Amino acid sequence: MKVIPIGIWGGYPNKNEATSAFLIEQDGFRCLVDCGSGVLAAVQNYTELRELDAVIISHYHPDHIADIGVLQHAAMVGMQLKEWETPLLIYAHDKDQEEFKKLFYKGVTEGRAIQAAETLELGPWQVSFCETIHPVYCLAMKFTADGKSVVFTADTSWKDELIGFSDGTDLLVAESNLYEKYLGIIPGHLSGSQAGELAERAGAKRLLLTHLPQYGELDEILHAAKSSYSGEVEFAVIGKSYEI
């Protein structure tokens, strides 16, 4: 299993970069996790668009879905050129029917509903979900195959259930959008120390910090995570390949 960060910013992209997205690959199967602003341009550095087998969306905030529309245009052109043979499947929750229906586009992309209580068989993985605490309905994801796993927290404030959901994971990709001084002020997100505490209590083998703010001194978030997690931790690096 290989995980490649495509976009690591929350809210809006930093200059020349992208908001939330990760490319996960195994056995030739490629899945894009979230598709925020700037992602479609960025992901082409690591894969041809026609080689994407699936997309999974955690929730419908723009920094996680902004490039779905242009991905659909790419799929339409690919189908017209006979380069894409089947519709691209986009998995997302259907709690927001208006947004879910937008995943269906001219027969070139199709939405597939995911549920917190169900496990999705997707390519080589079993994908399970956990509802998070966020201003809109949002799902964390765990990809498991061959006894290995990676967990994406998606956007969330602290939730005890995420400890068990992340238990023993090989890689925890945790949002860490908050400086410690904003805890209790800005809702729906984790601080660096909380991301570290989640990794520590879950026994995660490695921690990646993502969904970063564009302001302040980011090292404060990293130091806070290290203060509560005894394992290996770093900011997710765009384009770096994390092997599991």
Side-chain angles (χ1 to χ4, degrees), residues 135-151:
V136 299
Y137 190 86
C138 179
L139 292 173
M141 312 170 197
K142 178 191 286 184
F143 290 74
T144 303
D146 304 325
K148 302 285 188 178
S149 72
V150 56
V151 171

Side-chain angles (χ1 to χ4, degrees), residues 3-69:
V3 176
I4 302 174
I6 304 299
I8 63 171
W9 301 101
Y12 61 94
N14 217 343
K15 55 186 177 183
N16 300 318
E17 295 184 337
T19 59
S20 296
F22 286 79
L23 183 66
I24 180 168
E25 303 180 9
Q26 187 168 345
D27 300 336
F29 195 94
R30 295 174 175 86
C31 179
L32 187 62
V33 177
D34 282 333
C35 189
S37 178
V39 168
L40 207 67
V43 75
Q44 292 177 77
N45 290 307
Y46 313 103
T47 182
E48 296 290 336
L49 295 177
R50 65 178 178 272
E51 294 176 350
L52 290 174
D53 295 289
V55 180
I56 300 186
I57 302 299
S58 61
H59 65 297
Y60 296 109
H61 273 160
D63 55 332
H64 294 259
I65 64 164
D67 271 15
I68 287 293

Side-chain angles (χ1 to χ4, degrees), residues 19 24 41 72 75-76 94 133 137 151 168 178 194 213 234:
T19 59
I24 180 168
Q72 290 171 324
M76 180 176 65
D94 59 358
I133 299 176
Y137 190 86
V151 171
L178 298 185
Q194 288 179 319
E234 64 178 284

Side-chain angles (χ1 to χ4, degrees), residues 62-100:
D63 55 332
H64 294 259
I65 64 164
D67 271 15
I68 287 293
V70 288
L71 174 59
Q72 290 171 324
H73 286 177
M76 180 176 65
V77 172
M79 293 283 277
Q80 291 169 339
L81 297 177
K82 310 297 184 184
E83 294 179 350
W84 293 25
E85 297 180 357
T86 57
L88 178 63
L89 300 184
I90 304 176
Y91 295 85
H93 71 75
D94 59 358
K95 305 297 184 184
D96 185 330
Q97 276 291 314
E98 182 178 354
E99 292 294 336
F100 181 71

